[in-house]
Amino acid sequence: MNHKSAKSKSGLLPFPVIAAAMNGNVDAIHTVLKHYEGYIAALSMRKLYDENGCSHWCVDEEMRHRLEIRLITRILRFKQIA
């Protein structure tokens, strides 16, 4: 299954990609993670200060990783309603 161009015109993930991810398809899970990577990065932003006291915004990689793991576990636990 090719999930490289799996974005619909509405910007939503197509149902077959979601269903494949729920069934553990690694490519589909990667597609879902790729779809949400900008949102996850935005949630992972932190304000850090350098030695001069200047603030800088950057992605907290540990937080990003934790959010990705949480998304994967929720995908795999999701129950499909018939």
Side-chain angles (χ1 to χ4, degrees):
M1 183 181 282
N2 183 4
H3 301 295
K4 300 285 184 214
S5 60
K7 223 175 194 180
S8 68
K9 291 178 185 175
S10 65
L12 301 175
L13 288 169
F15 180 75
V17 173
I18 296 168
M22 288 170 28
N23 290 323
N25 182 301
V26 177
D27 291 333
I29 292 171
H30 185 291
T31 300
V32 174
L33 287 173
K34 188 77 174 154
H35 179 78
Y36 287 107
E37 81 179 341
Y39 181 61
I40 289 172
L43 291 175
S44 304
M45 293 299 283
R46 283 192 122 168
K47 186 185 239 183
L48 300 177
Y49 296 92
D50 63 15
E51 61 276 355
N52 298 322
C54 297
S55 64
H56 301 277
W57 285 95
C58 64
V59 174
D60 181 343
E61 290 299 324
E62 182 180 343
M63 178 63 73
R64 184 186 60 78
H65 184 68
R66 291 173 76 184
L67 289 171
E68 287 175 347
I69 290 170
R70 189 136 208 206
L71 177 58
I72 292 167
T73 56
R74 297 296 180 190
I75 290 168
L76 296 174
R77 275 197 223 157
F78 191 77
K79 303 277 189 238
Q80 184 175 352
I81 300 172

